[in-house]
Amino acid sequence: MGRLEAAKGRAGEAIDELSAELREISLSIHGKPELSFEEHHAHGLLTDYLEAKGFELTRGAYDLATAFRAEAGSGPVTAAVFCEYDALPGIGHACGHNLIAISGLATGIALKAALAAGEGRVVVFGSPAEEGGGGKVLMIERGALSGIDVAMMLHPAPGDGAWANLIAREELAVDYYGRNAHAGATPWEGVNALDALVTAYSAISAMRQQMRPTDRVHGIITRGGAKPNIIPDHTSAEFYVRAKNSRDLEELRAKVRGCFEGAATATGCRLEMRVPTPTYAEVVSNDVMAEAYCENMAAFEVMLPTKEEQAGGIAGASTDMGNVSYEVPSIHPAFAIPTEAANR
């Protein structure tokens, strides 16, 4: 048996040995869903486990209370593995971040077992707030990827794939300010902030005809007014603007902002618009890493689509792992969670 095969054997044995423990961790995180930057239970669970497995821990890393960095090994190459563990409001771990967390644990522990002394170093990152907060972007800005050579993470999905079809995204928070008036008695004295927001929403809907098939714009009204007989003087909305890549996002962003600005002009309202969370880049998958992933999955009789077969699809989702992929060679494969719909 060659060195590579022996290393793979040690990695597989390490994961098999810990399989039951990893499942318990997954169920514990799933059973106590925590929102972005509030993942204290998951943070404690994951860091305690990695420390017990011989990793050197930095808790609350990069001035983020629920981030961590776990390191093991030494050598000329450093591979990073990302764990995510935040949940969604109202629906908990519907996006499977509990599984991403244990996939990161398993990969980190397997690499630690596979690498002989001096062959390489593994860093397991705990990245909070992927669901909108941009934890990885903040970590990058604070030096997390300094000295990292490659990065990876896994995500559950309806199907398997090594090349991630995950697109760029920007969040916009919009506020319109008008003037109150009695809607029945003296409506002409008011400046209707709800009219501004509805006008902008309608303008964006009309613009969809000229948008690329790969573009996405979607939003919600978070504040629409107090009472029907009071002309609203303040309304708010949250929108996501998505595009296939960062270049297309820049173009689409300008059009969407134009809709909001035009609605302010049309209604006489004052507009405030801001980007409350970091902008996500699209995921750029490293071909060498992705092909190696396919080759190793084939050894387990999991045959993944080729890059060409995946090229026609677009998930429409976004992740801050895209920002990581702009900095270091990265992959973000998906592993299938079988569903009844998928099997029909």
Side-chain angles (χ1 to χ4, degrees):
M1 182 182 292
R3 288 177 60 192
L4 181 58
E5 288 73 20
K8 289 182 181 180
R10 292 193 298 272
E13 290 170 4
I15 293 174
D16 289 342
E17 182 181 341
L18 303 176
S19 179
E21 295 177 7
L22 294 172
R23 175 173 170 77
E24 288 302 313
I25 292 171
S26 173
L27 292 174
S28 180
I29 294 172
H30 186 275
K32 190 172 182 179
E34 299 165 301
L35 300 181
S36 296
F37 297 118
E38 298 175 6
E39 315 97 325
H40 300 286
H41 169 71
H43 176 273
L45 195 65
L46 298 171
T47 55
D48 288 350
Y49 189 77
L50 285 165
E51 190 169 54
K53 300 304 176 186
F55 284 78
E56 182 180 338
L57 261 294
T58 303
R59 294 174 170 84
Y62 310 106
D63 295 322
L64 298 170
T66 53
F68 66 81
R69 178 185 177 112
E71 302 181 53
S74 62
V77 177
T78 300
V81 184
F82 280 88
C83 294
E84 296 173 359
Y85 33 85
D86 59 326
L88 289 159
I91 54 175
H93 280 290
C95 207
H97 286 198
N98 56 305
L99 299 176
I100 297 174
I102 64 165
S103 296
L105 292 187
T107 304
I109 291 168
L111 281 170
K112 180 175 178 291
L115 294 169
E119 286 187 335
R121 184 167 61 120
V122 56
V123 176
V124 180
F125 284 118
S127 56
E130 187 276 338
E131 298 289 359
K136 294 184 191 64
V137 182
L138 300 176
M139 292 169 69
I140 291 169
E141 291 172 351
R142 298 168 189 183
L145 294 182
S146 177
I148 300 296
D149 295 295
V150 295
M152 64 196 88
M153 63 167 285
L154 290 166
H155 201 300
D160 293 299
W163 283 268
N165 292 317
L166 296 164
I167 64 180
R169 192 210 74 191
E170 180 171 275
E171 181 180 358
L172 289 176
V174 177
D175 290 272
Y176 285 105
Y177 295 92
R179 183 170 61 246
N180 281 141
H182 194 291
T186 55
W188 55 86
E189 293 182 358
V191 178
N192 197 317
L194 183 57
D195 280 350
L197 191 48
V198 171
T199 299
Y201 197 103
S202 298
I204 291 168
S205 294
M207 188 182 69
R208 294 184 197 281
Q209 184 179 348
Q210 278 70 51
M211 284 167 47
R212 297 180 182 88
T214 50
D215 290 342
R216 306 281 188 272
V217 182
H218 39 99
I220 58 170
I221 296 174
T222 56
R223 176 177 180 148
K227 292 280 288 184
N229 63 336
I230 304 171
I231 289 178
D233 68 340
H234 180 203
T235 56
S236 304
E238 294 176 6
F239 273 77
Y240 283 176
V241 182
R242 305 185 198 250
K244 186 176 181 179
N245 53 52
S246 297
R247 182 187 62 253
D248 289 354
L249 180 64
E250 184 176 355
E251 180 181 327
L252 181 61
R253 173 200 297 131
K255 294 178 179 179
V256 172
R257 286 172 176 253
C259 291
F260 288 119
E261 291 164 356
T265 301
T267 59
C269 290
R270 178 171 61 87
L271 168 65
E272 288 187 2
M273 188 164 38
R274 57 192 176 86
V275 180
T277 58
T279 298
Y280 290 2
E282 76 278 11
V283 172
V284 181
S285 299
N286 179 271
D287 287 343
V288 174
M289 295 172 68
E291 287 164 4
Y293 181 85
C294 291
E295 179 183 335
N296 283 281
M297 289 297 285
F300 294 95
E301 300 183 352
V302 178
M303 309 307 297
L304 276 66
T306 64
K307 182 180 181 180
E308 292 69 28
E309 290 169 338
Q310 281 197 255
I314 183 164
S318 309
T319 173
D320 53 5
M321 190 65 185
N323 301 67
V324 174
S325 74
Y326 263 54
E327 301 293 330
V328 297
S330 303
I331 53 171
H332 185 295
F335 60 94
I337 303 295
T339 64
E340 290 183 9
N343 291 330
R344 283 203 291 265

